[in-house]
Amino acid sequence: MSLNKTIKGLKTSFSKELSKSKTSQELENFRIKYLGRNGKLASLFEEFNKLPANEKPRFGKELNILKNQLTNLYQDALGNNNENSSSNDTDFSLPGYSLPNGSIHPLEQITSEIKSIFQSIGFSVAYGPEIDDDYHNFEALNVPKHHPARDMQDTFFVNPNAVLRTHTSNVQIHLMENQDPPLRHICCGRVFRNEAVSYKSFCLFNQVEGLVVNETSSFAEMKGTLEYFVREMFGKDTKMRFRPSYFPFTEPSAEVDIWNSKLDQWMEILGCGMVNPNVLSNVGYDNKKYQGFAFGMGIERIAMIKYGIKDIRLFYQNDKRFLEQF
Ligand code: PHE
């Protein structure tokens, strides 16, 4: 039977030609010629359709075996051909997977911005202990035991005499104990308060403290310094106001509010004042000769105002979706 011969002939020429096809282009031409929609194998199936019904089962089976054999041979040839990139699962021309970039934590960004603003007007950066004794955190700052002002800052005690500092003002005392005037320092760091955690307060936050002590500093100089800071930080048209306030370690004292035009309200950003003469004498300074001013601000608060963040806890949850935005 002629179909029988054709099958054998096809097998032979298939193998011969396949062994000569080397490049991927040759292999592709080969595939079209033999296995393509109008190729030799397809025309065999057409002839098969014309066969009388009683011959169909036998040839049908043979043709299907042939089809499988030829396809396998072709696939093997393709797999062995190194030039063909799909023969190898690695496509070296694909771009690599990119690893997610880390980013600097928003609090760190704000802190370094604050530092560089104050450094540009001659402040040095100082550091102080997060665990301190009652004396440096309270007593030397003119906050004696049982003073009602201690209630302003709920304290974590490490032991009866050691506290997690409730503000960075403890660094004022360390600085003054260790050097003579003139002083012009800022200090950034963590502070701790035993407060109910909510969207607006967390048990830990960051402050920047400023301290200037010399023979001439004045309330006016403090105002100018803080106005400069606010303009640099929030933009030169930012409205701000000084409001009388009270801190045991400064006299007179004030708080600074800036106008938040998005929320249409004043927002407190820092406390400040002239260093209380009692504090100067506590560290052995001559309070007739020297005077100074100090200020303290919450970094989270500044970041929240600047970036429109509504929940302080976000800074401490390490949620990448939040952090990636900065
Ligand atoms: N220590 C004060 C606070 O934590 C802020 C402050 C610092 C006020 C320095 C005046 C001078 O609220």
Side-chain angles (χ1 to χ4, degrees):
M1 162 71 222
S2 73
L3 192 56
N4 221 343
K5 261 194 202 151
T6 324
I7 289 181
K8 272 205 186 116
L10 184 64
K11 252 190 188 172
T12 323
S13 64
F14 185 96
S15 306
K16 231 195 229 159
E17 247 181 84
L18 182 57
S19 64
K20 284 191 214 138
S21 308
K22 298 281 184 242
T23 67
S24 43
Q25 189 55 54
E26 285 166 353
L27 278 165
E28 178 60 6
N29 292 340
F30 175 85
R31 188 191 64 77
I32 293 168
K33 183 170 170 189
Y34 281 92
L35 304 170
R37 215 185 315 156
N38 300 314
K40 296 195 174 210
L41 187 65
S43 62
L44 262 190
F45 273 92
E46 266 165 38
E47 274 181 51
F48 162 82
N49 281 332
K50 295 180 207 146
L51 287 177
N54 65 341
E55 291 190 35
K56 274 192 175 169
R58 185 162 74 90
F59 283 108
K61 201 172 159 200
E62 270 186 51
L63 270 183
N64 277 326
I65 293 174
L66 175 73
K67 185 184 169 186
N68 285 339
Q69 283 177 340
L70 298 190
T71 317
N72 287 341
L73 282 172
Y74 171 74
Q75 289 296 347
D76 285 350
L78 202 61
N80 290 332
N81 179 18
N82 289 331
E83 197 214 322
N84 190 320
S85 57
S86 69
S87 67
N88 186 331
D89 284 345
T90 312
D91 179 352
F92 293 104
S93 68
L94 282 175
Y97 295 109
S98 58
L99 293 172
N101 280 333
S103 61
I104 297 178
H105 194 282
L107 290 179
E108 192 53 44
Q109 288 185 36
I110 292 281
T111 305
S112 57
E113 213 175 310
I114 294 174
K115 274 188 203 161
S116 65
I117 292 172
F118 282 108
Q119 280 172 324
S120 75
I121 48 173
F123 283 77
S124 319
V125 178
Y127 296 91
E130 290 180 351
I131 297 178
D132 214 343
D133 52 25
D134 187 275
Y135 178 77
H136 287 87
N137 193 79
F138 291 121
E139 202 106 4
L141 286 160
N142 203 33
V143 191
K145 291 225 160 56
H146 311 299
H147 191 289
R150 288 200 180 203
D151 294 342
M152 288 161 74
Q153 306 174 347
D154 298 304
T155 311
F156 284 116
F157 286 88
V158 177
N159 66 41
N161 188 41
V163 299
L164 295 183
R165 68 176 172 194
T166 57
H167 50 188
T168 41
S169 300
N170 68 329
V171 185
Q172 290 188 31
I173 305 300
H174 289 286
L175 282 169
M176 292 190 282
E177 280 175 343
N178 289 318
Q179 49 189 301
D180 290 330
L183 289 182
R184 195 173 173 83
H185 290 282
I186 56 164
C187 158
C188 315
R190 297 192 294 181
V191 304
F192 308 84
R193 290 186 197 178
N194 190 5
E195 283 176 1
V197 172
S198 74
Y199 71 94
K200 58 178 179 179
S201 52
F202 198 59
C203 48
L204 113 92
F205 59 100
N206 286 266
Q207 283 190 331
V208 175
E209 189 84 10
L211 176 68
V212 171
V213 182
N214 55 35
E215 292 177 33
T216 58
S217 54
S218 63
F219 200 90
E221 186 191 337
M222 179 181 79
K223 279 182 73 179
T225 305
L226 295 173
E227 271 168 20
Y228 173 79
F229 164 73
V230 165
R231 280 200 300 268
E232 290 293 303
M233 194 69 200
F234 295 102
K236 63 179 184 335
D237 298 323
T238 311
K239 271 205 287 180
M240 65 185 286
R241 70 178 183 193
F242 286 78
R243 205 167 19 82
S245 185
Y246 170 78
F247 299 100
F249 30 91
T250 48
E251 183 60 36
S253 303
E255 277 171 325
V256 171
D257 300 335
I258 63 168
W259 180 253
N260 186 327
S261 47
K262 279 195 211 103
L263 300 179
D264 234 21
Q265 66 187 45
W266 288 106
M267 301 195 87
E268 181 207 319
I269 57 161
L270 61 87
C272 60
M274 299 305 292
V275 179
N276 191 310
N278 292 341
V279 174
L280 295 176
S281 63
N282 283 343
V283 296
Y285 281 5
D286 178 351
N287 63 13
K288 298 272 179 325
K289 188 171 173 201
Y290 296 115
Q291 53 199 3
F293 62 85
F295 53 87
M297 63 187 95
I299 298 180
E300 282 78 355
R301 213 179 155 73
I302 297 208
M304 287 167 84
I305 295 173
K306 192 157 170 155
Y307 296 131
I309 297 165
K310 300 214 167 58
D311 191 329
I312 191 172
R313 292 168 292 193
L314 285 166
F315 292 115
Y316 294 95
Q317 284 162 347
N318 281 336
D319 184 333
K320 273 168 64 188
R321 291 167 301 177
F322 171 73
L323 298 175
E324 269 164 6
Q325 298 173 59
F326 301 94

